[in-house]
Amino acid sequence: RLWLAGEGPLGAALRAQAGRLGLGDEVEFLGFLDRAQMARRYAEADCFVLPSLVEAQPMTVLEAMSFGKPVLVTNRIVSARELVDEGRNGFIVDAASTVDLANKLELLHDDEGLREALGLNSRVKAQAYGVRPFVEATVGAYQELLGRQAVRCTGHGAVESRGDAVG
């Protein structure tokens, strides 16, 4: 079963194609989903696919990873190699090859153990993009900028510096 979330300029054409191919029972067009609805779909899914031809840093991939899902993205996604460790938490497929995408989907469909292993690795990798690592990296950048002065978070995003001011 394929769930397609969101709406875009190709929605009507995709619905028509699914109908022409007799896939009405296998493809469900979900439309726009709020956060709670998306969370439920992530939790229920076996894997996440983003077959985009143009993307920079898609949050949907990180969201799916945080739900412990293997991810399939195309090589046209700018951050594909940052998000996906090939064969460890998912696969990067050739955007020009529907066969490549179909083969990876078939591989995941047929191997529950692989899906589970990739999903566990996705969840671990997604943690590196959480709030704590972001705050720690930001504080580290401030410390470097201030010449290694003591910098600490005081809560609610406030940063406090101790020591001489840097001119």
Side-chain angles (χ1 to χ4, degrees):
R1 184 142 185 85
L2 175 66
W3 293 328
L4 293 172
E7 284 293 329
L10 297 177
L14 290 171
R15 283 182 180 84
Q17 184 174 3
R20 280 192 306 276
L21 296 171
L23 298 174
D25 292 337
E26 287 84 21
V27 179
E28 186 176 349
F29 293 87
L30 303 174
F32 174 79
L33 300 176
D34 64 28
R35 292 177 68 81
Q37 292 168 320
M38 276 302 295
R40 192 179 94 239
R41 293 297 179 153
Y42 284 131
E44 294 172 347
D46 290 322
C47 68
F48 177 82
V49 181
L50 187 65
S52 295
L53 299 179
V54 178
E55 292 280 350
Q57 178 93 12
M59 293 303 296
T60 54
V61 176
L62 287 170
E63 290 169 355
M65 289 168 55
S66 72
F67 276 84
K69 302 303 169 183
V71 294
L72 297 171
V73 301
T74 68
N75 57 356
R76 300 278 298 275
I77 294 174
V78 174
S79 60
R81 299 214 183 303
E82 180 180 337
L83 296 170
V84 180
D85 296 328
E86 186 72 20
R88 285 204 33 82
N89 71 315
F91 299 102
I92 300 170
V93 299
D94 182 355
S97 174
T98 56
V99 172
D100 190 18
L101 176 59
N103 287 341
K104 294 301 189 300
L105 282 170
E106 186 174 10
L107 176 66
L108 290 175
H109 175 271
D110 293 343
D111 192 338
E112 182 179 353
L114 177 63
R115 283 195 315 271
E116 289 176 5
L118 296 176
L120 288 173
N121 290 334
S122 276
R123 181 171 283 135
V124 169
K125 187 167 180 79
Q127 291 172 354
Y129 294 91
V131 173
R132 179 174 292 284
F134 174 78
V135 169
E136 289 171 354
T138 302
V139 168
Y142 275 112
Q143 287 174 327
E144 186 174 325
L145 178 67
L146 295 171
R148 306 249 184 249
Q149 295 181 21
V151 176
R152 65 182 178 90
C153 290
T154 59
H156 303 293
V159 175
E160 186 177 280
S161 174
R162 304 198 188 247
D164 295 334
V166 175

